[in-house]
Amino acid sequence: MTIDRPMSRRGLVKGGLALGAAATLPTTFAIAQARPIKVGLMLPYSGTFAKLGENIAFAVEMLIAEKGGKLGGRPIELVKLDDESKPENGPQNAERLVKRDAVDVLIGTVHSGVQMGIHKVVRETGTLTIVPNAGANAVTRELCAKNVFRTSFSNWQPAHGMGLALGKRGVKKAAWVTWDYAAGKESGEGFREGLEKHGGKVVQTLTLKFPETNFQPLLAQIPGLDVEVVGSFFAGGGAVQFVKEYKAAGLKVPLCGSGFLTEGTLQAQGEAAEGIETALHYGDGIDSVKNTAFRDAFKAKTQREADVYAVQGYDAAQLLAIGLEAVKGNLEDEAGLYKAMRAAKFDSPRGPVSMSPSQEVVHNIYLRRAEKGLNKVVGIAAEALADPGTGCKL
Ligand code: BEZ
């Protein structure tokens, strides 16, 4: 079935339950309330974004464990699916979770192209979805949906912060280097808009296909570009290699970017990342009780340092908890659930966050500098930055 606007998935997927409801309401309601809430975790657990997906999943598990395994009084059952960051399998994988596994909630994913496949399915079925990374702008702009929330960022946000910071400093000419897919393109747009607000320009964009890492033909063009900085979007394994090759090429033009370039990758990038400036909604040195507790707990659970991906996963689960607590675990109360999630203002390890009218997270974008293995926060590039939400009607 294909429909234009989201409708209640309760009627579609749980049709069997609804049929008998009129005759046996109290019993059915009691049974529905007692069963665990099934949460699908559709993430990359393999490929260039594997570590990103793992950290999101670990942090979701961590928040649920902190709440005693229950949200809104209901036990939570997680159903994991590896989407391998393959956009061509996105719709089919989302359908497996929603239709075959009958998840009540979907948390996913990392890659913007895969997200668009999920989005098609969850708009049709009305499945409550929380995006814990993928920044595809359309999700909270022209294709926004009342059942879809994002606790990570829009692709526009972090790169916009970087563009603003450079523009304010008087940078006039920049290049943008990235993978040729939604996250790279939309980050480039955010970067360009930020720069242009202060009279700067992106004079050249260089791209290669996702997830290719044959960077040499791009790097070879940089000395001829006559730019003051090179901005870029890469993440995960691709970012590690790009930063190392940029350094090895001996280029004089400083490299900067959307913060994913150095996030969760500094150890592998080593000396090559030293001094790189990026903008992101998280960084090292955010001194708050919440962040310290989060980092300690994440380290204890995983033996890894927390990064932005872990924060986003934790916040996806925090937002779900807020919604479920407001309706006491009653998923049938969609209006109450969504109202509470839309109005949520909560303490994230990244700082205070809230939700915009298009159900996108509103947060500070920090300016960071890579120093001795840390993405040190050196300022705020944009305070409480909301995505414009262009074209969203809810
Ligand atoms: C994306 O595809 O939206 C994305 C992937 C990794 C990091 C950030 C964004």
Side-chain angles (χ1 to χ4, degrees):
M1 184 192 309
T2 307
I3 46 175
D4 288 331
R5 298 291 300 167
M7 60 180 280
S8 166
R9 75 180 294 271
R10 256 40 89 185
L12 288 168
V13 180
K14 306 257 186 282
L17 196 65
L19 279 178
T24 55
L25 189 60
T27 324
T28 308
F29 182 71
I31 293 168
Q33 287 304 92
R35 77 168 174 84
I37 292 176
K38 270 194 179 185
V39 178
L41 275 185
M42 180 164 157
L43 294 165
Y45 301 106
S46 59
T48 197
F49 290 160
K51 190 173 165 223
L52 287 57
E54 286 163 11
N55 280 3
I56 290 168
F58 283 142
V60 168
E61 288 167 0
M62 197 170 101
L63 185 281
I64 295 168
E66 283 172 9
K67 300 264 181 195
K70 288 185 176 181
L71 303 183
R74 304 261 308 264
I76 301 295
E77 179 187 330
L78 296 176
V79 184
K80 291 188 183 172
L81 189 151
D82 180 7
D83 68 33
E84 304 170 84
S85 294
K86 288 192 174 153
E88 63 278 19
N89 298 340
Q92 188 185 321
N93 280 331
E95 283 198 357
R96 270 177 61 190
L97 282 175
V98 171
K99 296 186 178 163
R100 188 195 67 183
D101 300 326
V103 298
D104 300 287
V105 181
L106 199 158
I107 295 182
T109 188
V110 167
H111 183 289
S112 279
V114 180
Q115 195 67 46
M116 294 319 292
I118 295 180
H119 203 58
K120 179 179 180 299
V121 173
V122 301
R123 271 171 60 88
E124 287 173 3
T125 58
T127 310
L128 171 57
T129 299
I130 307 179
V131 186
N133 186 73
N137 288 344
V139 167
T140 54
R141 291 191 182 177
E142 65 275 14
L143 294 180
C144 69
K146 67 178 171 44
N147 55 307
V148 179
F149 296 78
R150 182 154 53 198
T151 56
S152 47
F153 56 90
S154 71
N155 284 327
W156 177 87
Q157 283 174 321
H160 189 64
M162 190 69 242
L164 284 174
L166 293 174
K168 269 189 200 155
R169 198 180 288 169
V171 168
K172 293 290 174 232
K173 284 200 229 168
W176 183 253
V177 186
T178 191
W179 278 312
D180 185 15
Y181 84 109
K185 279 189 213 155
E186 294 170 355
S187 300
E189 279 301 290
F191 181 74
R192 181 184 59 73
E193 282 177 35
L195 206 52
E196 283 180 359
K197 273 194 182 148
H198 296 281
K201 261 193 192 157
V202 173
V203 296
Q204 182 68 271
T205 297
L206 304 173
T207 62
L208 79 168
K209 271 196 185 153
F210 176 87
E212 286 177 8
T213 51
N214 179 21
F215 298 120
Q216 289 306 318
L218 307 185
L219 295 175
Q221 295 177 56
I222 289 173
L225 290 182
D226 183 28
V227 291
E228 293 148 82
V229 293
V230 170
S232 84
F233 167 87
F234 290 105
V240 173
Q241 197 174 326
F242 182 70
V243 165
K244 283 183 158 177
E245 290 190 24
Y246 197 95
K247 177 76 177 179
L251 297 168
K252 297 280 174 287
V253 191
L255 176 63
C256 67
S258 177
F260 309 105
L261 189 64
T262 55
E263 187 68 14
T265 52
L266 283 177
Q267 226 183 334
Q269 288 162 335
E271 177 61 22
E274 202 61 17
I276 293 181
E277 270 190 320
T278 59
L280 199 65
H281 43 284
Y282 192 56
D284 290 306
I286 296 176
D287 185 15
S288 69
V289 174
K290 184 80 179 181
N291 191 36
T292 306
F294 168 76
R295 295 194 70 94
D296 289 350
F298 191 82
K299 184 89 187 260
K301 176 176 167 67
T302 64
Q303 285 74 57
R304 295 180 180 188
E305 292 299 334
D307 58 13
V308 78
Y309 308 107
V311 171
Q312 294 166 174
Y314 190 77
D315 288 347
Q318 287 212 88
L319 185 62
L320 180 61
I322 288 170
L324 288 175
E325 278 155 21
V327 296
K328 301 194 168 45
N330 179 13
L331 281 167
E332 304 301 313
D333 182 2
E334 267 184 9
L337 181 65
Y338 298 165
K339 187 171 172 216
M341 291 174 73
R342 232 187 334 265
K345 287 188 189 344
F346 58 97
D347 200 10
S348 161
R350 74 187 95 171
V353 298
S354 58
M355 302 306 291
S356 75
S358 63
Q359 307 188 156
E360 176 68 69
V361 69
V362 178
H363 50 192
N364 291 335
I365 302 294
Y366 301 102
L367 186 64
R368 307 120 44 98
R369 183 175 302 114
E371 279 177 23
K372 299 192 176 74
L374 297 176
N375 283 301
K376 269 181 83 175
V377 171
V378 292
I380 295 190
E383 198 170 342
L385 185 68
D387 184 86
T390 315
C392 174
K393 288 191 191 74
L394 285 178

